[in-house]
Amino acid sequence: HWFTKAAKERAEYAQFLIAQMYTEGLGTKRDIPQAYAWFCISADHRLEQMEDVLAQLLWHTSSKEKKRALALTAEFQRYANNDLIEYD
């Protein structure tokens, strides 16, 4: 899948889009833990409203899914673009 390949190459927009795809089940099976993990490492996690999005994703999930989401987030950190410049 092209988006996955781009996301793993630290393309922040691809990471954001793949998170949306997993959230909505667009072109893939709906997978909230995967969506949560990709949103966490995308550049958009720096946006203030993203905290609300992340909280809402996990609100109605089981404790098993929450644990999986956190484990995937830790695993996906290797795909995060840590070279981003933040502006105030």
Side-chain angles (χ1 to χ4, degrees), residues 1-43:
H1 194 270
W2 185 89
F3 281 120
T4 303
K5 186 174 182 174
K8 289 180 176 180
E9 292 294 323
R10 296 179 174 87
E12 299 88 11
Y13 190 63
Q15 292 168 346
F16 179 79
L17 289 177
I18 203 166
Q20 287 186 313
M21 291 170 70
Y22 277 117
T23 300
E24 300 296 327
L26 301 172
T28 189
K29 182 180 173 191
R30 188 169 191 246
D31 188 332
I32 297 304
Q34 284 268 357
Y36 181 89
W38 284 115
F39 273 132
C40 280
I41 66 164
S42 75

Side-chain angles (χ1 to χ4, degrees), residues 52-67:
D52 292 335
V53 170
L54 292 171
Q56 289 175 12
L57 279 176
L58 295 184
W59 183 255
H60 295 290
T61 60
S62 67
S63 61
K64 182 180 177 180
E65 283 187 311
K66 287 176 187 171
K67 287 178 185 176

